[in-house]
Amino acid sequence: MDVIRFLFRNHTQVLELTLEHLWLVGLSTVLAMLIGIPLGITIAHWPRWNKPVLASANIIQTIPSLALFGFLLPVPWLGARADRLAILALTLYALLPIIRNTYAGIRGVDAAVVEAGRGMGLTESQLLFQVELPLAVSVILSGVRIAVVISVGLATIAAAIGAGGLGEFIFRGLAMVDNRVILAGAIPAAIMALLADFGVGWLERQLRPR
Amino acid sequence: MPSENPTPVIEFSDVSFHAGQTQVLRGLTLQVAKGETLILLGRSGSGKTTTLKLINALVSPSSGEVLVNGATHREVDVIRLRRGIGYVIQEVGLFPHFTVARNIGLVPKIEGWKEDRVQARVQELLHLVGLEAEIAARYPHQLSGGQRQRVGVARALAADPEILLMDEPFGALDPLTRDELQREFLALRQRLNKTVVFVTHDLHEALRLGSRIALMEAGKLVTVLTPQEFVKSDDPWAAAYVRAFGDGLESIANRGSSWT
């Protein structure tokens, strides 16, 4: 009850931090999709690049997030603004599930369907946009869904380097040893993760091929 | 029987193909005349599917030349070439996210046909392969195996190709459906006068549908015979096939060739 009263009393700040959080997660997810989906398509068609690309994305994933934020801090243009840095770090973390699922989705398209398409005289780009991507879209989106949910959680840590977002409440609450303040950050973040999970999941079902 | 056409529609001259270390095809020389149905008969791994894919450039020869209408694949636009060759495979490979109508109409559509002309063509083809018009709105997963393969044939015929390549198209069907489709194939063949190359490992099918049978074994062409010649052949491989398939072959060979 205390938490709810706290949230209401500070609703402008809650809203502001939620929007910041959304901005961090949203932009980084879009960037990760713009990089990850083409990369996933590439390694699905040229398997030679499969190992190096997936291994790199894997390694990034193993770097502790706080350490990654720290490593990027001295980089000139990036370090100038904490939100840039947070968006880059979140983008890097979101890459792995998106690349991996795009790869799996495209590879999962029935080989006979692709062969029939090629044999009928579809060009490689017609094959990609009319056959492979529509058939892989739900697998790709489930990768995006994983990426978004991870991102919402990770973005709370971005507050440690001053990038804002709901993590501010969490860190402040930790410093003040005040559970209400911690929960004021944690609860909206959890709701956001659930909504994102539900929303992308819904989209995934809508676009699933019959 | 097919007359010796001066310019064969499809010509293999000393074609070899290897995938990595494995030699799939060795020194294949073969000609397919206009309007005939050439059967590629052989065991799994004999190179018959590879031979078929060489025609529509899904694979390229390691050495030798494949000519379609007198031109090698290097001399023509491969995409255009494939759009002029119907291709039917055992797994059918219908696009699961497209309706039957979109599956059949895809090539005409990307060729820039007007929508009403595409739809008219779809209806015409459904009728041709013995399917009801209302099937056009269904998705592939809502069809039976036989219906799917019929749609596959309709799709291959959509842009009215001169050549039809069929890779064990009826191999996965139950015997009754297969019989029905073979019979319709013969009727279609007579009406459409396409040049057909047909892969099978079933001698019955080969005798029934083919005007000539090219027998392949371990990447090599053993012999090319008419169905009637095949059942009487002294060739050890042909004789082995005849033995394996047992009695009654001659009547099939004679009945099957009645359309030529």
Side-chain angles (χ1 to χ4, degrees), chain A residues 111-121, chain B residues 38 40 48-53 55-56 58 81-95 103-104 107 125 128-129 131 145-173 181-182 185 188-189 192 194-200 205 209:
Chain A
V113 171
V114 174
E115 192 192 297
R118 191 170 283 130
M120 288 162 65
Chain B
L38 181 84
L40 297 170
K48 51 197 194 310
T49 293
T50 304
T51 304
L52 202 69
K53 289 182 180 177
I55 299 170
N56 62 0
L58 285 177
L81 174 88
R82 288 180 187 151
R83 286 187 196 159
I85 300 178
Y87 186 46
V88 186
I89 57 178
Q90 180 175 347
E91 308 86 347
V92 195
L94 294 182
F95 304 123
N103 263 286
I104 297 175
V107 168
L125 285 162
L128 189 72
V129 298
L131 291 170
Q147 288 173 323
R148 242 174 264 160
Q149 197 50 275
R150 285 183 158 95
V151 174
V153 173
R155 183 175 67 172
L157 292 170
D160 201 20
E162 189 196 349
I163 300 168
L164 204 53
L165 307 179
M166 307 183 87
D167 192 351
E168 302 199 35
F170 312 139
L173 302 174
L181 277 162
Q182 286 173 347
F185 172 83
L188 266 178
R189 265 291 291 101
L192 301 176
K194 306 276 181 206
T195 305
V196 183
V197 182
F198 191 111
V199 166
T200 185
E205 189 166 66
L209 305 183

